[in-house]
Amino acid sequence: FNSRGEPQDMSCYRLGGSISYTFPEGSVIPGSGFLVVARSPVDLQSAYNIFGVLGPYTSTLPNSKGTVRLLSQAGGVLLEVNYDANPPWPSSADGAGHSLVLARPSYGEDNGLAWAPSDSVGGSPGKLDPITPDPLRNVVINEFLAQSDPPLLSFIELFNRGSQALDVSGCSLSDDPTANKFWLPPGTIIHGRGFLSFDQTQLGFVLKSSGGTIYFRNAGGTRVLDAIGYEGRQNGVSFGRVPDGEPALRPLAARTAGRANSAPRLADIVINEILYAPVSLNDDEQFVELYNRGTNAIDLGGWKFLTGVNFTFPIHTILQPDAYLVVACNASRMLTNYPNLNATNLVGNFSGTLSHKGERLALAMVEPWITTNNLGSITTNLIYPVVNEVTYGTGGRWNRLVSRRRSRRATWTTDRKSTRLTPVTDQ
């Protein structure tokens, strides 16, 4: 999209990252206009009744995560988008038919918060994405419980954020991006600020504890009204919006199917301090500190970081109450730099590095997941429910300091998509 008023000559500019394409000579984007590049230009023009589609580009856009870059004739990176299927990127664009639309460009093209799912399935190539009024957009997936031990049943709860009653007959719920599995029966009304809950016996499918995505579609199948992608979930712990209908989803202290959600579940083990940009400019000095704010010792053996860095805690890694554990990029260097560290409060080395630009850092526990097939054969796998996470940044409310810390006595919710930590100036 050319956001300026005058035309832009794109001759010999390139698309890179997960795909590759060079704009031919004479390629021009008119002022406030669009250029569409497709994997199959002829098919796209036929499907959308549009003209002038360029391509084909080589390779394909990966369905889970990928990169699209706009490069100058000299190869300089002008724009870059590293899209993903995980929050804050919209789940409905991951296989359910919606495209990603740059809805909030002030965040910057490479920020998931800048993107929204297209108004309808299929997107809107070659034109501005419309915004179609639909009262059903007020209905969201508000709470769910994934597979748990009997007699608990997995369930999905819907909540109407608006004040008017809505008819949701024919809308569907599913854990499959390409197939609707449960249609809400005729005459199904959800009252203003009201709830509807359906358990696995009604739904006809069971949400997997190992992770997945839940889709709530309109009756015509033209729009995913809401979609939630989730990672491994702890046995018996539901996941929901706090407060009801708000964007943030967290593990809940109590299951509340069909009624207002409880307070968030507070984890004993929290990410307490992050050093992602050492003053020495040596990433070997990066570390993550954990703190046990509970009253019991916890064995972290088998726990691991799912995002940010790669590290699995050795067996019998015990973190005592009111104690700290540092996870180092380079444990030997940490022992040299910090005399208070030793074999009881330091582990490492993690692989990868903490991003200097900010990223999501998620700590997960290990839990067995037992399944039984139709023949009665029992299989035990391991899943990794997220215990605590933080998405840190370098701008806005995040000061440009090299270390950020939570007060151990603070009263805050730990399991949130974006958490502000208090800066520490002493090193």
Side-chain angles (χ1 to χ4, degrees), residues 98-116:
H98 286 265
S99 64
L100 287 171
V101 177
L102 187 63
R104 296 171 288 274
S106 60
Y107 279 103
E109 292 87 353
D110 200 27
N111 188 329
L113 295 173
W115 296 83

Side-chain angles (χ1 to χ4, degrees), residues 10-29 35-41 52-61 67-73 75:
M10 299 296 294
S11 301
C12 299
Y13 281 65
R14 292 187 290 121
L15 294 177
S18 301
I19 58 174
S20 180
Y21 178 75
T22 300
F23 290 86
E25 290 285 348
S27 299
V28 175
I29 308 181
L35 267 185
V36 179
V37 185
R39 180 71 178 88
S40 179
V53 176
L54 301 179
Y57 53 72
T58 61
S59 191
T60 57
L61 291 169
T67 300
V68 180
R69 297 188 184 97
L70 176 62
L71 308 172
S72 69
Q73 296 100 325

